[in-house]
């Protein structure tokens, strides 16, 4: 139509065709051929490598995790992007908010993986996720300061359902000694003071609960309060008669405590709550939570991408329709659900499909975030391709996985291209 010669057109297209052939067509063709050969690359293996896709435990776990990724990650990222896009239209600092949400897209997968490996660290002093989780937990259920405390030799205490109970009843006017050991000096409560021997009170039960240990051989006296020994500040003590608690108290900073006369003849119990180990948070990168944790890192990165595309689509929604719905009595939720979302359906579909293509080839985050002990549980097809090809020396199976991934991506790509063409025609 333009009079351009076919030869000239081919010459202009030739560089692009050469690059396309070298970077796309040749690798695909070579992988397809290699997928029919064994690990040595010399013997024809037929469809054995493809059979391994459904018989190898590692590949089946990877396929299951890819399905979880395919369902969860695009849906959550798209939903958050939609919520962010709608909310940013209603606040003054919407542009700044969009910038903050989109900023993770500027970070490489490698950097994001390292960041979230630290975020999910098991130690609450290092991992932000567990620091928050432990803080919330300890607000409602504080951990004990004496998790390793236990009776020493010749102690009047005996084990009782995770706690300790005196072997003999206690009586008014006779001070009670409750010596314990096992807590390192630097782990004692900050408010702990030097232990003090309780004074006798004819009308009450008195006693001392303390750390019966003094550094140095032959320095301390077992069962007696020595000058350098500290009291168990806050130790809970209960008086028990016939299995029922008749009185309870807490030890003071110097370890002394007092119970009323009603505790006369009772056994003293140090409940198990005194010795509960400190809560150490959630094992985010353990076998059961590693995949959701990595999906969370992915959503953190890609929710901004979804928000920007959806916000662009939202800018084209006729405001007259939204205002007309409000005039007709629709509340904001009804406007959002019945007008905004349907009008944004084409954009939402494009975002979701794009993210689906992206998660099918996810590799970096899983490889970096999942520790070696949980990598088998977090495995995905792209990671299994790498492991089969480079760690296990099975290039035939790795090529079969790559072809399988291509077959999974093609239908999604075709769907996306058809939708885009329909949009262009409109």
């Amino acid at each position: 139509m333009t009079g351009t010669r076919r030869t000239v057109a081919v010459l202009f297209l030739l560089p692009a065709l050469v690059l396309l052939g070298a970077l796309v067509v040749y690798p695909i063709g070579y992988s397809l051929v290699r997928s029919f050969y064994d690990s040595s690359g010399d013997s024809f293996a037929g469809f054995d490598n493809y059979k391994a896709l459904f018989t190898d435990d590692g590949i089946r776990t990877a396929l299951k995790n890819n399905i979880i990724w395919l369902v969860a990650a695009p849906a959550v990222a798209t939903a958050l992007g939609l919520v962010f896009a709608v909310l940013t239209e209603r606040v003054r600092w919407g542009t700044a908010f969009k910038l903050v949400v989109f900023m993770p897209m500027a970070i490489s997968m490698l950097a994001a993986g390292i960041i979230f490996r630290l975020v999910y660290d098991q130690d609450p002093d290092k991992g932000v996720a567990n620091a928050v989780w432990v803080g919330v937990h300890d607000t409602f259920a504080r951990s004990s300061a004496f998790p390793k405390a236990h009776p020493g030799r010749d102690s009047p205490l005996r084990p009782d359902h995770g706690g300790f109970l005196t072997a003999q009843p206690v009586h008014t006017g006779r001070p009670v000694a409750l010596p314990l050991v096992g807590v390192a000096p630097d782990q004692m409560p900050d408010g702990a003071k030097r232990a003090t021997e309780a004074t006798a009170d004819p009308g009450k039960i008195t006693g001392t609960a303390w750390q019966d240990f003094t550094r140095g051989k032959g320095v301390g006296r077992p069962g007696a309060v020595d000058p350098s020994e500290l009291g168990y500040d806050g130790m809970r003590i209960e008086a028990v008669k016939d299995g029922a608690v008749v009185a309870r108290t807490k030890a003071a900073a110097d370890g002394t405590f007092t119970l009323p006369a009603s505790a006369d003849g009772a056994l003293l119990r140090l409940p198990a709550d005194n010795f509960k180990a400190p809560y150490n948070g959630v094992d985010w990168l353990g076998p059961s939570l590693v995949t959701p944790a990595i999906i969370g890192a992915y959503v953190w990165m890609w929710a901004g991408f979804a928000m920007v595309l959806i916000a662009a689509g939202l800018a084209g929604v006729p405001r007259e329709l939204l205002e007309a719905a409000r005039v007709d009595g629709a509340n904001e939720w009804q406007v959002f659900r019945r007008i905004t979302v349907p009008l944004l359906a084409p954009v939402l579909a494009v975002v979701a499909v794009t993210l689906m293509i992206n998660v099918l080839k996810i590799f970096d985050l899983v490889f970096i975030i999942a520790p070696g002990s949980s990598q088998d549980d977090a495995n995905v097809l792209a990671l299994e391709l790498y492991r089969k090809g480079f760690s296990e020396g099975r290039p035939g199976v790795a090529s079969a996985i790559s072809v399988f991934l291509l077959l999974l991506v093609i239908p999604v790509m075709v769907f996306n291209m058809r939708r885009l063409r329909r949009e262009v025609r409109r």
Side-chain angles (χ1 to χ4, degrees), residues 320-335:
E320 297 81 4
L321 295 177
L322 305 179
E323 294 302 326
R326 294 187 181 101
V327 170
D328 288 341
N331 57 38
E332 292 301 320
W333 169 246
Q334 290 172 326
V335 171

Side-chain angles (χ1 to χ4, degrees), residues 208-266:
T208 305
W210 82 101
Q211 172 78 352
D212 188 23
F213 176 78
T214 301
R215 290 182 182 274
K217 187 176 180 180
V219 177
R221 299 168 298 160
V225 177
D226 294 310
S228 63
E229 295 172 349
L230 299 175
Y232 278 129
D233 182 23
M235 175 72 74
R236 289 182 287 278
I237 302 160
E238 297 175 345
V240 181
K241 283 184 180 179
D242 300 323
V245 177
V246 296
R248 53 169 53 92
T249 188
K250 284 186 179 181
D254 60 359
T256 57
F257 61 88
T258 304
L259 289 164
S262 59
D264 185 60

Side-chain angles (χ1 to χ4, degrees), residues 69-123:
W69 272 89
L70 197 63
V71 172
V76 175
T78 304
L80 281 177
L82 175 60
V83 171
F84 290 156
V86 172
L87 291 180
T88 50
E89 285 202 335
R90 300 174 176 273
V91 294
R92 284 184 177 180
W93 38 272
T95 303
F97 182 81
K98 287 180 182 178
L99 178 63
V100 171
V101 175
F102 188 76
M103 196 178 295
M105 282 294 299
I107 302 174
S108 68
M109 286 281 194
L110 172 64
I114 294 172
I115 290 170
F116 274 87
R117 183 68 180 268
L118 295 173
V119 167
Y120 292 133
D121 195 288
Q122 180 68 37
D123 186 353

